């Protein structure tokens, strides 16, 4: 048993913010990154919490009825997609690193007997989709804001 998965899930996002802090520019500025990451985290947390309450699946270790989906894995893949979206254009290795850390989180959740394989796969999908959705919304709002700002009165 290990608690590494409790910290590993945030490492891809920490990497994205660390890259920005050290001068490596991503697609968005720091303020916009916080908005996108925060809204992705909120949507993912809401989605995972609602599904856990609806499904009431027993964990493999028999400890609780909140196994499906894996929140740790959802967070890890949400963070990996965030890193990939911000820095994947700079190098494919940022994507490889983020998704490797996220995959490791999912494996550790199963190794620690906290989740079934289906819990981990669902968590991964939820994390990725929540981040992609929030980038899509943010970009739509940003384009409208920029169009209004360029209109001369």
């Amino acid at each position: 048993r290990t608690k590494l998965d409790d910290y590993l899930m945030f490492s891809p996002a920490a990497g994205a913010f660390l890259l920005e802090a050290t001068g490596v520019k991503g697609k968005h500025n720091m303020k916009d990154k916080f908005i996108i990451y925060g809204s992705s985290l909120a949507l993912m947390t809401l989605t995972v919490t609602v599904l856990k309450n609806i499904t009431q699946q027993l964990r493999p270790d028999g400890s609780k009825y909140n196994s499906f989906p894996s929140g740790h894995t959802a967070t890890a893949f949400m963070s990996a997609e965030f890193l990939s979206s911000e820095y994947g254009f700079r190098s494919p290795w940022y994507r490889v690193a983020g998704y490797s850390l996220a995959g490791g989180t999912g494996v550790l959740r199963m190794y620690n007997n906290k989740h079934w394989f289906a819990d981990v796969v669902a968590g991964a999908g939820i994390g990725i989709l929540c981040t992609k959705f929030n980038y899509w919304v943010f970009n739509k709002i940003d384009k409208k804001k920029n169009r209004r700002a360029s209109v001369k009165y």
Side-chain angles (χ1 to χ4, degrees):
R1 309 264 172 176
T2 178
K3 293 204 178 273
L4 181 60
D5 47 337
D6 291 338
Y7 308 102
L8 195 60
M9 66 180 164
F10 294 110
S11 59
F17 288 112
L18 184 62
L19 285 167
E20 180 72 25
T22 58
V24 180
K25 298 296 178 201
K27 288 186 178 176
H28 296 89
N29 62 38
M30 188 68 94
K31 176 186 154 211
D32 292 348
K33 279 183 179 73
F34 275 113
I35 291 168
I36 294 165
Y37 186 77
S39 59
S40 297
L41 184 61
L43 178 61
M44 182 275 305
T45 301
L46 176 67
T47 303
V48 167
T49 302
V50 167
L51 285 172
K52 282 181 178 289
N53 287 326
I54 290 171
T55 60
Q56 297 285 308
Q57 290 295 310
L58 183 63
R59 290 183 180 267
D61 66 358
S63 63
K64 293 181 182 177
Y65 284 89
N66 65 349
S67 187
F68 184 88
S70 169
H72 281 70
T73 307
T75 302
F77 276 88
M78 181 201 75
S79 296
E81 182 59 31
F82 175 72
L83 175 64
S84 176
S85 296
E86 284 298 324
Y87 291 99
F89 73 97
R90 293 212 168 269
S91 170
W93 292 108
Y94 291 126
R95 287 187 170 116
V96 170
Y99 280 106
S100 294
L101 292 166
T105 300
V107 168
L108 286 173
R109 295 307 288 165
M110 292 183 294
Y111 174 79
N112 287 330
N113 209 27
K114 292 294 182 182
H115 286 288
W116 306 101
F117 181 71
D119 304 341
V120 169
V121 171
I126 289 166
I128 292 168
L129 289 174
C130 287
T131 303
K132 285 191 175 291
F133 176 77
N134 277 289
Y135 268 98
W136 179 77
V137 169
F138 182 87
N139 290 331
K140 289 281 188 191
I141 292 169
D142 198 43
K143 282 180 187 174
K144 284 183 183 178
K145 186 171 53 172
N146 287 335
R147 271 195 301 245
R148 279 194 302 252
S150 66
V151 174
K152 308 240 185 218
Y153 293 99

